[in-house]
Amino acid sequence: MKKTIAIIGSGFSALAASCYLAQQGNKVTLYEKNESIGGRARQFKKEGFTFDMGPSWYWMPDVFERFFQDFNKKTTDYYELIKLNPAYRVYFGVDDFISIYDNLEEIKTTFESIEKGSGHELETFIKQAKSNYDIAIKDLVYRPGVSPLELITVETTKKLNQFFSTVSTDIRKKFKNERLIQILEFPVLFLGAKPTKTPSFYNFMNYADFGLGTWHPKTGMFDVVRSIEKLALELGVTIETNAAIEKIVVENKTATAIVINGKTIQADVILSGADYHHTETLLDIEHRAYSEKYWESRVFAPSSLLFFVGFDKKIENISHHALFFDVDFNQHAADIYDEPKWPDAPLFYANFPSKTDQSAAPQGKESGFFLIPLAPGINDSEALREEYFKKIITRFEQLTQQEIKNNIIFKRSFCKNDFVTDYNAYKGNAYGMANTLLQTAFLRPKLKSKKVRNLYFTGQLTVPGPGVPPALISGKLVAELIQKSFRS
Ligand SMILES: Cc1cc2nc3c(=O)[nH]c(=O)nc-3n(C[C@H](O)[C@H](O)[C@H](O)COP(=O)(O)OP(=O)(O)OC[C@H]3O[C@@H](n4cnc5c(N)ncnc54)[C@H](O)[C@@H]3O)c2cc1C
């Protein structure tokens, strides 16, 4: 029988779930608090410049393909992908950088030119990473995190030792050059924890990087948001924006309605794609499955200081994606995870979408996005944002040997306080809850409420974890659980 399903939020996970649930024949409505959809992957436009406000690395193209295949579609039915070459550059000093090209052979040559023998090491390392990718991304992440048994397969038992070593230890056994080590440790940062705290099994992220490559949807990541919105609408989903849920109504331990602007809307099932902690605050305290103490004890992925900048000229000596690793990586990581504070010397990341997509900036101009990872919950103020902008722009100018400070038409900052205000993000986290060994699979917050019937969760705080591909998978997993509950 057709059920009425109310979904909170319109991030990737909620959008994905809405498609699956509508495909199953349900009446699905998405309610988004902001005026536009996409959640952390929203778009910002100003004076002819276009920015993705969150994700910009399109990794694991197979996961996106698999999502559209579930609806007998292909990504190419909706958007065009460009493989970036170089995928990215990593800066270590003044005009001193390593480019990562779009194929393993060239990357091996780059490695070999820096450390003798490392080309061969890289080949075996990526082979192992691919084998982990085939196990993790093609299979394990599609399990709902209900039971520890989901993780026990013939393949994983053969790899048990990799759950008790870390990515960092593993890489350091094989490579000696600090720069190569930093490049190889970079991909697991997407999982939200330090490489020294991430099990070596997660080196499948290195295969995603060097094996599958870095792609760019022709007009940016928001292309993908719009595409999934289109698919959802084709499947009959209704989308309402400027619709902040104020309360989830529970009667007899069963979620029965949501309240928006004082109006109560009944539903058979309520699914939240908003941050888990926030969703539970919409429930009376006795219906919350996790205590404040629980959230306090979790390792959250970083928050971030972001800048969206319109430049009145083209920026030189730079590629689409650039990482600035010219300062102490471990110190910045300690400033995020160990003793949270604003880093004295921040690592930062920048992207210039108008290098690939002419429509991202007016002709002869450049759109620039800058990101500094910060500890969640950190003190945030205009003065601090300004101080750090000056720091990174000065370094950017030195490292890429050009002046850009006087070429800024506008800049918009976005930091912890905005993550809280705009997304109701716990401690202003940017990427959800980290994927550490103790926060993996069945050890993550549950897709199905442990206390309230007909209440479900999806998104980067649940399984499988942070990132756009996991958000799509999370949407699929929760839709399957909901469908299963209708049959039982
Ligand atoms: C700066 C940044 C860079 C990133 N870079 C990458 C990258 O390069 N590649 C990658 O794969 N991933 C990246 N990520 C991670 C990725 O964007 C996220 O993991 C993913 O988009 C999260 O999707 P979600 O559906 O879980 O949550 P969200 O996108 O946060 O969606 C939650 C939605 O719920 C809404 N909401 C909250 N409260 C309410 C309420 N009460 N009522 C109604 N609606 C509500 C919010 O407004 C939001 O729209 C990045 C994230 C950030 C922030």
Side-chain angles (χ1 to χ4, degrees), residues 89 91 313-319 352 355 366 396 400-402 404:
R89 263 187 195 175
Y91 283 82
K313 66 169 186 181
K314 283 287 179 199
I315 310 295
E316 306 294 326
N317 308 331
I318 198 79
S319 60
F352 300 90
K355 289 277 170 227
E366 205 92 85
F396 184 94
T400 63
Q401 308 237 283
Q402 64 196 309
I404 58 166

PDB file of all heavy atoms in Angstrom, residues 89 91 313-319 352 355 366 396 400-402 404:
ATOM      1  N   ARG A  89      47.372  19.457  -7.832  1.00  0.00           N
ATOM      2  CA  ARG A  89      48.768  19.770  -7.551  1.00  0.00           C
ATOM      3  C   ARG A  89      48.932  19.897  -6.054  1.00  0.00           C
ATOM      4  O   ARG A  89      48.047  20.404  -5.375  1.00  0.00           O
ATOM      5  CB  ARG A  89      49.116  21.144  -8.126  1.00  0.00           C
ATOM      6  CG  ARG A  89      49.772  21.100  -9.459  1.00  0.00           C
ATOM      7  CD  ARG A  89      50.199  22.523  -9.790  1.00  0.00           C
ATOM      8  NE  ARG A  89      50.522  22.624 -11.191  1.00  0.00           N
ATOM      9  CZ  ARG A  89      50.834  23.772 -11.785  1.00  0.00           C
ATOM     10  NH1 ARG A  89      50.829  24.909 -11.088  1.00  0.00           N
ATOM     11  NH2 ARG A  89      51.138  23.796 -13.053  1.00  0.00           N
ATOM     12  N   TYR A  91      51.429  21.709  -3.332  1.00  0.00           N
ATOM     13  CA  TYR A  91      52.512  22.678  -3.161  1.00  0.00           C
ATOM     14  C   TYR A  91      53.258  22.410  -1.860  1.00  0.00           C
ATOM     15  O   TYR A  91      52.653  22.239  -0.810  1.00  0.00           O
ATOM     16  CB  TYR A  91      51.951  24.110  -3.119  1.00  0.00           C
ATOM     17  CG  TYR A  91      51.578  24.605  -4.490  1.00  0.00           C
ATOM     18  CD1 TYR A  91      50.362  24.264  -5.059  1.00  0.00           C
ATOM     19  CD2 TYR A  91      52.470  25.389  -5.219  1.00  0.00           C
ATOM     20  CE1 TYR A  91      50.039  24.699  -6.336  1.00  0.00           C
ATOM     21  CE2 TYR A  91      52.147  25.831  -6.490  1.00  0.00           C
ATOM     22  CZ  TYR A  91      50.933  25.486  -7.043  1.00  0.00           C
ATOM     23  OH  TYR A  91      50.618  25.907  -8.306  1.00  0.00           O
ATOM     24  N   LYS A 313      40.851  38.795 -12.599  1.00  0.00           N
ATOM     25  CA  LYS A 313      41.803  38.339 -13.621  1.00  0.00           C
ATOM     26  C   LYS A 313      41.977  36.826 -13.495  1.00  0.00           C
ATOM     27  O   LYS A 313      41.526  36.213 -12.518  1.00  0.00           O
ATOM     28  CB  LYS A 313      43.147  39.031 -13.443  1.00  0.00           C
ATOM     29  CG  LYS A 313      43.865  38.649 -12.157  1.00  0.00           C
ATOM     30  CD  LYS A 313      45.306  39.141 -12.148  1.00  0.00           C
ATOM     31  CE  LYS A 313      46.055  38.630 -10.937  1.00  0.00           C
ATOM     32  NZ  LYS A 313      47.431  39.059 -10.833  1.00  0.00           N
ATOM     33  N   LYS A 314      42.663  36.247 -14.466  1.00  0.00           N
ATOM     34  CA  LYS A 314      42.968  34.817 -14.415  1.00  0.00           C
ATOM     35  C   LYS A 314      44.120  34.590 -13.428  1.00  0.00           C
ATOM     36  O   LYS A 314      45.066  35.380 -13.390  1.00  0.00           O
ATOM     37  CB  LYS A 314      43.375  34.312 -15.807  1.00  0.00           C
ATOM     38  CG  LYS A 314      42.188  34.130 -16.732  1.00  0.00           C
ATOM     39  CD  LYS A 314      41.434  32.901 -16.286  1.00  0.00           C
ATOM     40  CE  LYS A 314      40.221  32.580 -17.068  1.00  0.00           C
ATOM     41  NZ  LYS A 314      39.305  31.679 -16.343  1.00  0.00           N
ATOM     42  N   ILE A 315      44.029  33.525 -12.640  1.00  0.00           N
ATOM     43  CA  ILE A 315      45.110  33.194 -11.700  1.00  0.00           C
ATOM     44  C   ILE A 315      46.094  32.274 -12.429  1.00  0.00           C
ATOM     45  O   ILE A 315      45.678  31.320 -13.090  1.00  0.00           O
ATOM     46  CB  ILE A 315      44.541  32.497 -10.439  1.00  0.00           C
ATOM     47  CG1 ILE A 315      43.366  33.291  -9.846  1.00  0.00           C
ATOM     48  CG2 ILE A 315      45.625  32.245  -9.407  1.00  0.00           C
ATOM     49  CD1 ILE A 315      43.698  34.657  -9.311  1.00  0.00           C
ATOM     50  N   GLU A 316      47.374  32.574 -12.284  1.00  0.00           N
ATOM     51  CA  GLU A 316      48.410  31.809 -12.994  1.00  0.00           C
ATOM     52  C   GLU A 316      48.970  30.686 -12.106  1.00  0.00           C
ATOM     53  O   GLU A 316      48.726  30.672 -10.900  1.00  0.00           O
ATOM     54  CB  GLU A 316      49.582  32.738 -13.379  1.00  0.00           C
ATOM     55  CG  GLU A 316      49.187  33.977 -14.161  1.00  0.00           C
ATOM     56  CD  GLU A 316      48.636  33.640 -15.541  1.00  0.00           C
ATOM     57  OE1 GLU A 316      49.106  32.654 -16.127  1.00  0.00           O
ATOM     58  OE2 GLU A 316      47.714  34.340 -16.007  1.00  0.00           O
ATOM     59  N   ASN A 317      49.775  29.834 -12.725  1.00  0.00           N
ATOM     60  CA  ASN A 317      50.571  28.812 -12.012  1.00  0.00           C
ATOM     61  C   ASN A 317      49.740  27.949 -11.051  1.00  0.00           C
ATOM     62  O   ASN A 317      50.166  27.663  -9.931  1.00  0.00           O
ATOM     63  CB  ASN A 317      51.695  29.460 -11.174  1.00  0.00           C
ATOM     64  CG  ASN A 317      52.531  30.391 -11.988  1.00  0.00           C
ATOM     65  OD1 ASN A 317      52.670  30.186 -13.198  1.00  0.00           O
ATOM     66  ND2 ASN A 317      53.065  31.432 -11.369  1.00  0.00           N
ATOM     67  N   ILE A 318      48.573  27.593 -11.482  1.00  0.00           N
ATOM     68  CA  ILE A 318      47.699  26.847 -10.571  1.00  0.00           C
ATOM     69  C   ILE A 318      46.859  25.875 -11.385  1.00  0.00           C
ATOM     70  O   ILE A 318      46.614  26.115 -12.564  1.00  0.00           O
ATOM     71  CB  ILE A 318      46.808  27.839  -9.762  1.00  0.00           C
ATOM     72  CG1 ILE A 318      46.205  27.195  -8.533  1.00  0.00           C
ATOM     73  CG2 ILE A 318      45.713  28.494 -10.613  1.00  0.00           C
ATOM     74  CD1 ILE A 318      47.161  27.088  -7.406  1.00  0.00           C
ATOM     75  N   SER A 319      46.442  24.771 -10.751  1.00  0.00           N
ATOM     76  CA  SER A 319      45.558  23.832 -11.449  1.00  0.00           C
ATOM     77  C   SER A 319      44.168  23.914 -10.805  1.00  0.00           C
ATOM     78  O   SER A 319      43.992  24.598  -9.794  1.00  0.00           O
ATOM     79  CB  SER A 319      46.112  22.413 -11.354  1.00  0.00           C
ATOM     80  OG  SER A 319      46.195  22.048 -10.007  1.00  0.00           O
ATOM     81  N   PHE A 352      39.748  26.175  -8.355  1.00  0.00           N
ATOM     82  CA  PHE A 352      39.412  27.237  -9.306  1.00  0.00           C
ATOM     83  C   PHE A 352      38.562  26.608 -10.407  1.00  0.00           C
ATOM     84  O   PHE A 352      39.082  26.216 -11.462  1.00  0.00           O
ATOM     85  CB  PHE A 352      40.709  27.860  -9.869  1.00  0.00           C
ATOM     86  CG  PHE A 352      41.545  28.454  -8.778  1.00  0.00           C
ATOM     87  CD1 PHE A 352      42.503  27.684  -8.122  1.00  0.00           C
ATOM     88  CD2 PHE A 352      41.341  29.752  -8.354  1.00  0.00           C
ATOM     89  CE1 PHE A 352      43.239  28.210  -7.074  1.00  0.00           C
ATOM     90  CE2 PHE A 352      42.074  30.295  -7.303  1.00  0.00           C
ATOM     91  CZ  PHE A 352      43.030  29.521  -6.666  1.00  0.00           C
ATOM     92  N   LYS A 355      38.843  27.202 -14.158  1.00  0.00           N
ATOM     93  CA  LYS A 355      39.939  26.649 -14.975  1.00  0.00           C
ATOM     94  C   LYS A 355      39.393  25.586 -15.928  1.00  0.00           C
ATOM     95  O   LYS A 355      39.958  25.333 -16.984  1.00  0.00           O
ATOM     96  CB  LYS A 355      41.006  25.994 -14.084  1.00  0.00           C
ATOM     97  CG  LYS A 355      41.830  26.971 -13.293  1.00  0.00           C
ATOM     98  CD  LYS A 355      42.966  27.540 -14.138  1.00  0.00           C
ATOM     99  CE  LYS A 355      43.662  28.693 -13.456  1.00  0.00           C
ATOM    100  NZ  LYS A 355      43.891  29.859 -14.302  1.00  0.00           N
ATOM    101  N   GLU A 366      38.303  34.830 -12.652  1.00  0.00           N
ATOM    102  CA  GLU A 366      38.466  33.493 -12.048  1.00  0.00           C
ATOM    103  C   GLU A 366      37.655  33.398 -10.759  1.00  0.00           C
ATOM    104  O   GLU A 366      37.616  34.348  -9.972  1.00  0.00           O
ATOM    105  CB  GLU A 366      39.944  33.282 -11.710  1.00  0.00           C
ATOM    106  CG  GLU A 366      40.365  31.840 -11.647  1.00  0.00           C
ATOM    107  CD  GLU A 366      40.899  31.308 -12.994  1.00  0.00           C
ATOM    108  OE1 GLU A 366      42.097  31.494 -13.253  1.00  0.00           O
ATOM    109  OE2 GLU A 366      40.102  30.722 -13.760  1.00  0.00           O
ATOM    110  N   PHE A 396      49.620  32.030  -0.536  1.00  0.00           N
ATOM    111  CA  PHE A 396      49.260  31.656  -1.911  1.00  0.00           C
ATOM    112  C   PHE A 396      50.080  32.488  -2.906  1.00  0.00           C
ATOM    113  O   PHE A 396      50.630  31.969  -3.875  1.00  0.00           O
ATOM    114  CB  PHE A 396      47.763  31.876  -2.130  1.00  0.00           C
ATOM    115  CG  PHE A 396      47.266  31.429  -3.471  1.00  0.00           C
ATOM    116  CD1 PHE A 396      46.726  30.174  -3.649  1.00  0.00           C
ATOM    117  CD2 PHE A 396      47.361  32.264  -4.587  1.00  0.00           C
ATOM    118  CE1 PHE A 396      46.280  29.756  -4.900  1.00  0.00           C
ATOM    119  CE2 PHE A 396      46.923  31.860  -5.832  1.00  0.00           C
ATOM    120  CZ  PHE A 396      46.373  30.602  -5.989  1.00  0.00           C
ATOM    121  N   THR A 400      52.765  30.641  -5.347  1.00  0.00           N
ATOM    122  CA  THR A 400      52.474  30.579  -6.786  1.00  0.00           C
ATOM    123  C   THR A 400      53.055  31.779  -7.531  1.00  0.00           C
ATOM    124  O   THR A 400      52.817  31.945  -8.728  1.00  0.00           O
ATOM    125  CB  THR A 400      50.947  30.508  -7.047  1.00  0.00           C
ATOM    126  OG1 THR A 400      50.354  31.720  -6.566  1.00  0.00           O
ATOM    127  CG2 THR A 400      50.295  29.321  -6.372  1.00  0.00           C
ATOM    128  N   GLN A 401      53.821  32.604  -6.813  1.00  0.00           N
ATOM    129  CA  GLN A 401      54.576  33.697  -7.417  1.00  0.00           C
ATOM    130  C   GLN A 401      53.731  34.666  -8.248  1.00  0.00           C
ATOM    131  O   GLN A 401      53.962  34.834  -9.451  1.00  0.00           O
ATOM    132  CB  GLN A 401      55.668  33.108  -8.308  1.00  0.00           C
ATOM    133  CG  GLN A 401      56.512  32.086  -7.576  1.00  0.00           C
ATOM    134  CD  GLN A 401      57.971  32.448  -7.600  1.00  0.00           C
ATOM    135  OE1 GLN A 401      58.616  32.258  -8.608  1.00  0.00           O
ATOM    136  NE2 GLN A 401      58.469  32.982  -6.517  1.00  0.00           N
ATOM    137  N   GLN A 402      52.753  35.274  -7.586  1.00  0.00           N
ATOM    138  CA  GLN A 402      51.937  36.276  -8.275  1.00  0.00           C
ATOM    139  C   GLN A 402      51.192  37.105  -7.241  1.00  0.00           C
ATOM    140  O   GLN A 402      51.058  36.691  -6.087  1.00  0.00           O
ATOM    141  CB  GLN A 402      50.922  35.613  -9.199  1.00  0.00           C
ATOM    142  CG  GLN A 402      49.906  34.763  -8.460  1.00  0.00           C
ATOM    143  CD  GLN A 402      49.150  33.808  -9.353  1.00  0.00           C
ATOM    144  OE1 GLN A 402      48.613  34.239 -10.355  1.00  0.00           O
ATOM    145  NE2 GLN A 402      49.149  32.538  -8.997  1.00  0.00           N
ATOM    146  N   ILE A 404      47.623  38.690  -6.084  1.00  0.00           N
ATOM    147  CA  ILE A 404      46.178  38.553  -6.354  1.00  0.00           C
ATOM    148  C   ILE A 404      45.319  39.344  -5.366  1.00  0.00           C
ATOM    149  O   ILE A 404      44.145  39.556  -5.614  1.00  0.00           O
ATOM    150  CB  ILE A 404      45.717  37.068  -6.370  1.00  0.00           C
ATOM    151  CG1 ILE A 404      46.034  36.373  -5.041  1.00  0.00           C
ATOM    152  CG2 ILE A 404      46.318  36.311  -7.540  1.00  0.00           C
ATOM    153  CD1 ILE A 404      45.314  35.031  -4.886  1.00  0.00           C
TER     154      ILE A 404
END
